[in-house]
Amino acid sequence: MLVTTTENIPGYRVTDVKGQVFGVVVRSRGLGGNIMAGLRSLGGGEITEYTEMLEEARRHAVDRLVKNALLMNANAIVMMRFDSSEIGQTMSEIVAYGTAVVVEPGA
């Protein structure tokens, strides 16, 4: 599966547009993680507990994006983007989205 942030893929041409596709992940650090992150924030600097959680959530969002594109019989995703938001004060939502397409070699 080709996943790109650009509209076009050099060396390929789009033969079919399947539509918009999403991969959504909602994560919570948990009570212990929030306490550790809170203590770390007092000293300043990177909060590694949250950094690792968000990196993992992005990977899972892309995995789900690809899985959903495959269900649409696409072989590529163009214009892929990320969005994020908070749900309550303890959960983060990461969304990977783009356009599922079918591409063939040859421009």
Side-chain angles (χ1 to χ4, degrees), residues 5 12 32 38 44 62 65 88:
T5 58
Y12 290 86
V62 171
L65 177 76

Side-chain angles (χ1 to χ4, degrees), residues 6 12 18 41 73 75-76 95 105 107:
T6 59
Y12 290 86
K18 297 295 186 178
S41 70
N73 295 319
N75 66 358
V95 181

